[in-house]
Amino acid sequence: MKKTSSLFSILLFIILPLYSLAQSPVISGKVVDEKGQPLPGATVAVKGTAKGTVTNNAGIFTLKDVPANAPLLITFQGYENATVDIHGQSNITVTLKADISKLGDVVVVGYGTQRKAASTGSIASVKGADITQTPVTNVAQGLAARVPGVQITQNNAAPGGNISVRIRGTNSINGSSEPLYIIDGIQISNSGGVGDVSPLSTINPNDIESVEILKDASSTAIYGARGANGVVLITTKRGKSGATRVQLDMYRGIQNITKTLSMLNAAQFAQLENDIYNSPIYADPASLGKGTDWQDVIYRQANVQNFQAAVSGGSDKTQFSLSGNYFDQEGIIISSDFKRYSLRTTLDHTISQHFKVGTSLLTSYTINNNIPTGISSIDGPLVTQSIVGATLGAPPTLVPYKEDGSEYPFADQFNGRYREVANPVGLAQITNRNTIRRTLANVYGEAKIVSGLTYRASFNVDVGNTLNDYYSPIYILGKAEVNANSGTASKGNVNTTNWLHESVLTYNRDFGAHNIKFTGVYAIQSNLYNDNVINANGFPNDATTNEAVQLAVNRTVSSYRSKESLNSYMGRINYGYANKYFLDVTARYDGASKFGENHKWGFFPAVAGAWRIIEEPFLKDSRLFSDLKLRVSYGRTGNAGAISPYQSLALESSGSNYQFNHIYTVGISPSGIPNADLRWEKSTQANIGIDIGLFEDRLGITADIYNKKTKDLLFVKNLPLSSGYTSMTGNFASIRNKGIELAANARLLTGKFKWNLNANVSVNRNELLSLEGGVHEYVLSPYSVLRVGQPLGIFKTYVFNGIYQTGETVLPGSGSRTGGVKVADLNKDGQITGDDQTITGNANPSFIFGLSSNFSYGNFDLSFFISGVQGNKVFNLSRYTFENGLGGRNVLEGMANRWSATNPSNEYASGYQGGRLPVSDRFVEDGSYIRMKNITLGYKLPHIKHITSARIYISSNNLFTITDYTGYDPEVNSFGGSNTQIGVDNLVYPMARSFLVGLQVGL
């Protein structure tokens, strides 16, 4: 009996644990913050396994088949991880503590991170969620007006169109003033060209975790030769340990043009034609009515859609993420569109407590069907080469299509009278397509050598291929225009390979109240470029377009290849004492292959300090201040992107062709003067800033004052023809930018109804300090100049003084007559000369600002975002064209009120004036505006089985704009990223207003 009892006990000892495992309990519970508020989306996992789940909108979770007494690991971004032992419980409540280092108190800096409290530089941080609050094609669009000191201009609103970014003003003349972009360590640049596809458009904005903008010399000097224009650090999303998460995001919407321009209708146009030519070209103008509204023909309601799926997760040792994106945007102009397919993956693996490796790979495929908009020349070409200009200039007495629906060339209408204006429908048939394949790859290895000492090696590559397809078909030409050279094609391949290796050694150690961190970097970088282009014309028909250029009568080919290298050494010391006093010292030594033999290397040092006054005893217990820090920095950075390779060398080029022994020979001749002293553009900047937190951080204020001087500006100087050369590149100028930046954020309401408000304003003053050789003024165009003592981007024109009335004396040199434009004789010498031109406008704004607000109550959320620019001028070059009654093309509706003997208008010249109008301040307009950039209303759906979270929203972009500008849109620049030709409107692609419906689902 005793033996039986003992055997039974042994069996129970074995069976009960097995039974308990077989009946593993269901654990449920709730995850809340320190105030008891639920935390939706928190990860609850069985520690050491892949088993887990996430909390729903109420912070509640259910986890099945949990082994008895297995500990749970609870994680949530912005909070400290928590490990909970179950101890037989089936329902638990877990409170997570806020992790200050994860709640915005850590910022990404060059080659690492830094506690925000310890930062000494001027760094602005934007969350990825804020960037994608407004559906954007690229990340820079999402930064517009969100960060003080950063001006973003949409040069071309075409799908995938380029933008210009200026951090603390324009810093160069001939070189680039675009910032350096660094995506997970991979460095990329943007040209800002108005006709280019922005390289940032090849990157899915939804993959971005955060963006840091480095503005002062202390924060940018770590990038030395590439930091003069500021640095934008983009950190993408990576996998996190815990349960696998699936996120689906999608939206669809429609777009419409925000504004159309009023042009003469058919009856008004016909009367103008009769007046100009003093002939009854149209027998009965009044009978023609409105005629064709060409803007209605060319502009359309366009669709836009975006789909994204992302999966992420991992264990304590290995984390992964995978995302795919499809973006499709039709343009509001017929035949234009942009498509992007992208795939991104990351993998991080901890081999042991001493070694870690990882990689990220982003590959994208984009197709941009572009159409010709915006040109730089004055007058005529605008209506033959630009679809927007041709739309406005098209005679409303003509029609776009034949009866069979095909395009109707103007040369075949009205006896060919209007062949000098292009049918815009025909221009839309021109193939102008860019197909871009791009891959950004990063591989890193990290080793913890000893306590506090880490070595990280990374290898980055950016590989791109662009195929440019162009074909102008024969069928868009009139019958009389077709000849042996009709049909124009080109095909070009551009290949780029930019690779970068960086070795980073970091030592971080605390010595009591002292903290020292040293960062040492060795980097080597190489940029390779090559292109091959074939141009052809004279095709037998349009059957093969540009896919068989061998069929063309005439063909030319060209190719180009370049290589540039940059080697760098950098050291940085961060010192902190008692979490109160901080000192950062940075030095970088860069060598660039493209500078002169005597100046290959440049040295870029910086020093910065910060004092956290809030830590002083007299403020430690303050009820008013929750944070107070003073920052000061001074340093020097360079601009290696100011010139293309080989400008310091003696150059030769083709083109000087000649006949030798009756044989046509391609000639080669000298084209560039060597300059061994060609050197870096160098920016020296001082910055003073203060960070203030009030009322337990319910109100935060950041203010900065800066003064930046850039010298040794690279400038292309014209040479006398006697030299045998046309120009020379050298360091011939200097410039200054100084300004004030102010940003504030407030948590106005924090209860059930939450209200957050963010605002910023920036003031920058730009001044050209000198030009080489004591030159005071340099003419750039008929309406703009460089002038010492003035900012870049000023307009110099005549002053409009009305219309010459009957009996009034016409001043010599005015090129006018009675009924023509009168300009002011400023020097009172009785004649009109170039001396009567004066500075009439400045394209730089007095200030720029942004305002955003977020409201939430229950499951509802509402946000809006306003951007604005004040005090800038825009030269409306297109208005100059379309107020000029030359005949043969349409003009603005105001010309219906033109001068005549019976209508002595003092604003619009007569219809029989002839000739070009004088370039005057009449076309220099106020470009100030306030824009409702985005407004979004969202609703979180109640809990749905198997769905962690779900939100639907409606959104509108560019809902309205308040402005006095008479053109399509005041946010414009026909010269793209030019530093000197700023604020010129010659009819680039117009802005669109969009209405979207979206869905976000977490699984």
Side-chain angles (χ1 to χ4, degrees):
M1 185 73 177
K2 192 172 183 179
K3 289 183 179 179
T4 303
S5 176
S6 298
L7 181 61
F8 183 76
S9 297
I10 293 171
L11 289 173
L12 285 177
F13 183 79
I14 295 172
I15 293 171
L16 284 177
L18 293 175
Y19 179 82
S20 133
L21 286 172
Q23 301 293 322
S24 298
V26 175
I27 305 298
S28 61
K30 188 175 185 179
V31 180
V32 298
D33 63 14
E34 293 170 289
K35 295 181 180 180
Q37 297 297 314
L39 295 176
T43 299
V44 182
V46 178
K47 190 172 183 179
T49 73
K51 181 185 292 296
T53 186
V54 293
T55 58
N56 64 16
N57 288 336
I60 296 172
F61 70 91
T62 300
L63 192 59
K64 298 179 181 179
D65 300 328
V66 180
N69 298 324
L72 299 182
L73 176 65
I74 296 90
T75 60
F76 188 66
Q77 187 175 4
Y79 292 79
E80 296 179 355
N81 296 346
T83 301
V84 178
D85 293 319
I86 300 174
H87 294 306
Q89 302 177 80
S90 60
N91 191 283
I92 60 175
T93 298
V94 182
T95 301
L96 296 185
K97 295 182 179 180
D99 185 344
I100 296 177
S101 67
K102 294 180 181 178
L103 286 174
D105 201 46
V106 167
V107 293
V108 178
V109 295
Y111 306 106
T113 60
Q114 188 177 42
R115 287 192 310 121
K116 189 174 181 180
S119 66
T120 59
S122 180
I123 302 175
S125 184
V126 181
K127 296 179 181 177
D130 293 332
I131 294 170
T132 54
Q133 174 184 321
T134 59
V136 293
T137 308
N138 72 54
V139 58
Q141 292 172 323
L143 295 174
R146 293 190 182 277
V147 179
V150 181
Q151 182 181 7
I152 296 176
T153 303
Q154 183 77 52
N155 297 325
N156 185 353
N162 216 336
I163 59 175
S164 287
V165 178
R166 295 291 181 268
I167 297 178
R168 294 187 168 179
T170 300
N171 303 294
S172 185
I173 294 179
N174 287 124
S176 173
S177 285
E178 299 291 323
L180 171 67
Y181 296 91
I182 300 178
I183 304 173
D184 292 339
I186 303 171
Q187 300 182 9
I188 66 174
S189 299
N190 179 29
S191 67
V194 69
D196 299 339
V197 177
S198 171
L200 298 175
S201 295
T202 63
I203 301 165
N204 178 18
N206 288 303
D207 283 330
I208 294 171
E209 182 75 32
S210 69
V211 177
E212 271 75 25
I213 297 94
L214 314 184
K215 297 185 287 186
D216 71 325
S218 169
S219 55
T220 60
I222 197 166
Y223 292 103
R226 305 195 69 185
N229 300 325
V231 179
V232 179
L233 297 176
I234 300 173
T235 303
T236 61
K237 297 173 182 176
R238 305 187 79 88
K240 298 178 177 62
S241 59
T244 299
R245 302 180 183 182
V246 178
Q247 183 70 33
L248 305 175
D249 295 276
M250 61 203 77
Y251 65 78
R252 297 194 68 174
I254 57 173
Q255 309 161 93
N256 293 286
I257 191 169
T258 58
K259 175 184 179 181
T260 56
L261 303 185
S262 298
M263 311 300 291
L264 295 183
N265 61 30
Q268 294 168 327
F269 172 77
Q271 186 59 57
L272 175 64
E273 288 287 276
N274 289 352
D275 290 350
I276 290 174
Y277 296 101
N278 195 24
S279 175
I281 297 169
Y282 293 91
D284 186 9
S287 67
L288 298 176
K290 292 184 178 180
T292 303
D293 184 343
W294 288 96
Q295 292 178 88
D296 188 54
V297 172
I298 295 301
Y299 299 124
R300 64 180 175 181
Q301 179 174 286
N303 297 317
V304 59
Q305 56 185 337
N306 183 77
F307 301 94
Q308 156 136 349
V311 182
S312 65
S315 62
D316 291 342
K317 281 196 169 186
T318 304
Q319 299 85 42
F320 74 93
S321 70
L322 176 66
S323 67
N325 170 251
Y326 169 67
F327 177 80
D328 181 9
Q329 182 182 11
E330 291 181 341
I332 57 171
I333 296 179
I334 60 174
S335 301
S336 62
D337 61 66
F338 177 83
K339 290 183 175 66
R340 177 182 63 223
Y341 307 84
S342 69
L343 182 67
R344 181 179 172 275
T345 182
T346 69
L347 181 66
D348 299 284
H349 178 67
T350 302
I351 299 173
S352 68
Q353 62 178 345
H354 294 290
F355 297 100
K356 183 179 181 180
V357 295
T359 184
S360 64
L361 178 69
L362 187 154
T363 183
S364 65
Y365 177 75
T366 61
I367 305 170
N368 180 46
N369 286 306
N370 200 359
I371 47 94
T373 60
I375 61 172
S376 58
S377 59
I378 287 181
D379 213 15
L382 187 64
V383 296
T384 58
Q385 300 173 18
S386 162
I387 193 169
V388 181
T391 300
L392 297 182
T397 54
L398 305 185
V399 295
Y401 303 105
K402 299 177 183 178
E403 291 184 0
D404 62 3
S406 61
E407 183 270 335
Y408 201 169
F410 286 174
D412 292 345
Q413 301 185 50
F414 212 88
N415 297 320
R417 180 179 183 84
Y418 297 109
R419 69 178 61 208
E420 293 184 3
V421 183
N423 185 338
V425 175
L427 291 180
Q429 310 309 308
I430 297 174
T431 298
N432 190 6
R433 182 173 57 249
N434 294 314
T435 304
I436 304 173
R437 298 172 177 85
R438 190 169 195 179
T439 299
L440 305 178
N442 165 273
V443 177
Y444 76 87
E446 186 174 291
K448 295 181 180 179
I449 301 172
V450 295
S451 178
L453 182 62
T454 303
Y455 170 73
R456 179 185 178 101
S458 65
F459 301 88
N460 311 304
V461 66
D462 175 6
V463 180
N465 170 261
T466 301
L467 174 63
N468 305 118
D469 284 296
Y470 179 89
Y471 185 73
S472 181
I474 301 170
Y475 71 81
I476 69 172
L477 302 174
K479 295 176 182 178
E481 296 174 312
V482 177
N483 55 46
N485 295 321
S486 297
T488 304
S490 71
K491 187 176 285 287
N493 271 290
V494 178
N495 299 288
T496 58
T497 303
N498 302 325
W499 62 265
L500 168 68
H501 163 66
E502 292 176 325
S503 287
V504 183
L505 191 67
T506 305
Y507 180 72
N508 193 356
R509 189 72 181 269
D510 291 324
F511 300 93
H514 304 270
N515 173 264
I516 294 179
K517 183 179 181 180
F518 169 77
T519 304
V521 178
Y522 168 70
I524 180 170
Q525 183 173 357
S526 181
N527 299 330
L528 308 175
Y529 174 95
N530 73 79
D531 66 43
N532 303 279
V533 181
I534 182 168
N535 296 287
N537 61 60
F539 286 84
N541 52 54
D542 295 321
T544 59
T545 64
N546 72 330
E547 298 302 333
V549 292
Q550 67 271 20
L551 299 178
V553 175
N554 306 302
R555 296 183 299 274
T556 60
V557 296
S558 64
S559 63
Y560 176 78
R561 181 181 297 271
S562 69
K563 177 182 179 180
E564 56 183 285
S565 301
L566 182 71
N567 292 359
S568 307
Y569 304 87
M570 190 281 297
R572 178 177 63 196
I573 297 175
N574 306 113
Y575 169 76
Y577 174 71
N579 201 36
K580 188 187 305 183
Y581 309 111
F582 302 94
L583 179 67
D584 294 348
V585 179
T586 304
R588 180 156 177 151
Y589 193 49
D590 284 318
S593 61
K594 59 187 177 183
F595 288 104
E597 190 63 33
N598 299 334
H599 296 277
K600 293 287 187 187
W601 291 87
F603 180 62
F604 307 99
V607 61
W611 174 26
R612 292 199 72 217
I613 308 173
I614 191 66
E615 294 293 332
E616 297 292 349
F618 58 85
L619 278 181
K620 192 80 172 179
D621 299 320
S622 171
R623 295 185 178 181
L624 174 63
F625 291 97
S626 49
D627 189 23
L628 184 61
K629 181 173 71 172
L630 181 67
R631 297 175 281 105
V632 179
S633 68
Y634 182 82
R636 185 171 67 187
T637 50
N639 186 5
I643 58 170
S644 56
Y646 315 124
Q647 299 303 302
S648 68
L649 305 177
L651 301 178
E652 295 181 342
S653 61
S654 61
S656 301
N657 304 330
Y658 59 95
Q659 294 279 348
F660 184 74
N661 287 337
H662 304 291
I663 298 175
Y664 184 76
T665 305
V666 176
I668 299 175
S669 61
S671 59
I673 300 177
N675 184 359
D677 291 321
L678 194 68
R679 57 193 180 274
W680 306 84
E681 291 188 349
K682 295 183 284 291
S683 290
T684 303
Q685 182 178 182
N687 188 95
I688 300 176
I690 189 168
D691 302 321
I692 304 172
L694 302 171
F695 314 114
E696 297 183 351
D697 283 340
R698 292 283 293 273
L699 176 63
I701 300 172
T702 298
D704 283 272
I705 301 174
Y706 62 89
N707 190 331
K708 177 168 58 173
K709 180 180 178 181
T710 307
K711 65 177 184 177
D712 293 333
L713 288 178
L714 291 155
F715 185 64
V716 179
K717 180 177 67 172
N718 293 330
L719 297 177
L721 294 178
S722 58
S723 68
Y725 299 88
T726 58
S727 62
M728 175 183 179
T729 301
N731 302 91
F732 299 138
S734 61
I735 198 171
R736 175 186 287 124
N737 286 279
K738 56 184 179 181
I740 300 172
E741 301 166 357
L742 182 65
N745 60 83
R747 292 183 292 125
L748 299 176
L749 297 174
T750 58
K752 289 186 177 180
F753 182 78
K754 296 180 175 62
W755 180 17
N756 298 330
L757 187 67
N758 298 276
N760 68 81
V761 62
S762 306
V763 176
N764 182 79
R765 295 294 178 261
N766 176 271
E767 181 186 359
L768 180 63
L769 299 178
S770 67
L771 286 170
E772 190 267 345
V775 174
H776 179 70
E777 185 172 286
Y778 186 89
V779 176
L780 297 168
S781 74
Y783 47 82
S784 60
V785 296
L786 291 176
R787 178 181 283 187
V788 174
Q790 294 285 338
L792 303 182
I794 58 170
F795 304 121
K796 183 180 180 182
T797 69
Y798 293 104
V799 175
F800 180 78
N801 199 26
I803 304 296
Y804 280 109
Q805 303 298 322
T806 303
E808 191 172 0
T809 301
V810 178
L811 292 180
S814 64
S816 194
R817 65 179 74 171
T818 300
V821 172
K822 177 171 57 176
V823 297
D825 178 17
L826 296 182
N827 62 1
K828 307 299 181 182
D829 64 354
Q831 59 181 335
I832 301 301
T833 67
D835 293 335
D836 293 309
Q837 293 183 332
T838 188
I839 302 301
T840 53
N842 177 7
N844 299 278
S846 300
F847 64 93
I848 59 177
F849 66 91
L851 175 70
S852 63
S853 187
N854 297 278
F855 307 88
S856 64
Y857 181 80
N859 288 351
F860 288 93
D861 60 87
L862 174 68
S863 64
F864 68 82
F865 176 37
I866 295 173
S867 65
V869 175
Q870 295 294 307
N872 64 304
K873 298 296 184 181
V874 176
F875 191 84
N876 195 339
L877 189 54
S878 59
R879 180 181 168 192
Y880 169 87
T881 297
F882 293 109
E883 277 191 6
N884 198 359
L886 290 177
R889 65 184 181 209
N890 204 6
V891 293
L892 291 166
E893 187 180 43
M895 283 293 288
N897 189 35
R898 59 192 175 274
W899 186 95
S900 69
T902 57
N903 181 45
S905 167
N906 206 32
E907 187 175 4
Y908 296 97
S910 68
Y912 50 85
Q913 173 64 26
R916 286 195 175 97
L917 300 176
V919 177
S920 72
D921 65 338
R922 176 173 175 78
F923 311 107
V924 178
E925 299 188 37
D926 184 7
S928 303
Y929 68 87
I930 299 174
R931 171 170 289 151
M932 177 62 76
K933 195 76 174 176
N934 174 267
I935 184 167
T936 300
L937 174 64
Y939 176 71
K940 293 180 181 178
L941 299 176
H943 177 67
I944 303 173
K945 189 176 181 180
H946 304 306
I947 294 179
T948 305
S949 62
R951 175 178 177 264
I952 59 174
Y953 65 89
I954 56 175
S955 180
S956 177
N957 291 329
N958 303 320
L959 185 61
F960 63 82
T961 301
I962 302 173
T963 183
D964 292 330
Y965 184 62
T966 63
Y968 277 116
D969 192 87
E971 184 184 345
V972 64
N973 187 14
S974 294
F975 288 89
S978 170
N979 300 317
T980 53
Q981 299 276 60
I982 306 171
V984 179
D985 181 2
N986 211 20
L987 298 181
V988 296
Y989 202 107
M991 189 72 70
R993 178 187 297 111
S994 63
F995 297 93
L996 310 169
V997 177
L999 174 65
Q1000 300 167 329
V1001 179
L1003 303 176

